Amino acid sequence: MDLSLAAGEHRGWARLLTRADLRLLAAPSLPAAAQALRWSRRHRLADASVQLCIEAGHGFLPSSAVVALAASDIVVLDHFGPKPVTGGPVSLRVGHGAFTAHLDGAGLTILSSFHLRAYAMADDTSDLSTSEPALSPTEPGSQGASAAATAAQEHLLRELPVQITCEIGRITLSAREVLDLRPGTVLPVGRPLAGPVDLTAGGRVIARGELVDVEGEIGVRVSEVLE
């Protein structure tokens, strides 16, 4: 469930994941016959194209670093699967889920069935809370408390962890081919993996660059930042 949140002038969003038995006021499931009928209409998707992204690595950057990202900067990823880039574990992303896969040269082998995933959240050990009672705007000291709260919010905004993902390639399949993907399926990789890569945040491409070696770790040297 995607939630839109608003508190005064501040707005944001959140994603809520629960077990099926905890869902409240959810639309009832379709009867088995109706589900079978819907599934039988897959032929309508035969010619529909779907783009799948090959994700090779990810890491977290503070939001202040993401905003200040510029050409020639180098982003070092916390986790990078294929080493060298032409071989190793990767994820084949489709929407909010993915297939676990293994990259070997120009081929990609599916290792698992499709699964939805909840994006990991970085641990935040900083404590921005206060044990002092809240002050109303008319009480003495309220202006100081308000300034402290604003400073805390600005600090949080600067340090908010943003997940950055490195895409090393994309594959285009028909919707029917995507539905038929099974463990053991081998897919050809469309473009040379030694070429440019994309850095994404929340599924949106924010920068492009090239892979570089940084003291044994794989990083991305930014060549272009997208507004």
Side-chain angles (χ1 to χ4, degrees):
M1 178 184 297
D2 288 333
L3 309 176
S4 177
L5 308 177
E9 299 178 353
H10 305 287
R11 297 181 181 276
W13 65 273
R15 178 165 294 140
L16 177 63
L17 304 176
T18 67
R19 299 197 313 269
D21 58 333
L22 295 181
R23 291 182 299 182
L24 301 177
L25 302 178
S29 300
L30 291 173
Q35 292 184 16
L37 177 60
R38 175 179 292 182
W39 190 246
S40 69
R41 295 170 177 166
R42 284 189 300 166
H43 64 276
R44 297 178 178 178
L45 302 175
D47 298 325
S49 297
V50 178
Q51 194 170 68
L52 300 87
C53 302
I54 305 174
E55 296 182 347
H58 69 273
F60 288 91
L61 290 177
S63 57
S64 56
V66 176
V67 172
L69 202 61
S72 77
D73 287 348
I74 296 179
V75 177
V76 178
L77 303 169
D78 300 325
H79 307 280
F80 200 92
K83 293 182 180 181
V85 69
T86 54
V90 295
S91 292
L92 189 61
R93 178 171 59 83
V94 188
H96 296 302
F99 296 88
T100 302
H102 182 86
L103 182 63
D104 185 10
L108 191 69
T109 303
I110 304 298
L111 300 179
S112 73
S113 300
F114 176 79
H115 59 277
L116 292 174
R117 61 188 183 185
Y119 292 98
M121 298 299 293
D123 293 331
D124 185 6
T125 57
S126 61
D127 184 5
L128 299 180
S129 62
T130 175
S131 59
E132 296 297 328
L135 298 175
S136 68
T138 57
E139 293 179 4
S142 62
Q143 293 182 351
S146 177
T150 300
Q153 289 295 323
E154 291 178 352
H155 174 75
L156 176 60
L157 179 60
R158 289 193 302 270
E159 299 301 323
L160 196 67
V162 177
Q163 182 171 351
I164 303 298
T165 301
C166 177
E167 293 183 4
I168 61 174
R170 299 190 177 190
I171 298 176
T172 300
L173 301 175
S174 70
R176 175 178 289 181
E177 289 173 324
V178 174
L179 292 174
D180 289 338
L181 288 178
R182 298 290 185 274
T185 303
V186 179
L187 300 173
V189 176
R191 72 181 189 185
L193 296 178
V197 299
D198 294 337
L199 290 178
T200 68
R204 176 186 176 186
V205 179
I206 62 171
R208 293 190 172 93
E210 60 179 354
L211 296 175
V212 294
D213 183 277
V214 183
E215 298 181 353
E217 298 295 330
I218 295 180
V220 177
R221 178 183 287 115
V222 177
S223 59
E224 178 187 6
V225 177
L226 281 69
E227 296 297 335

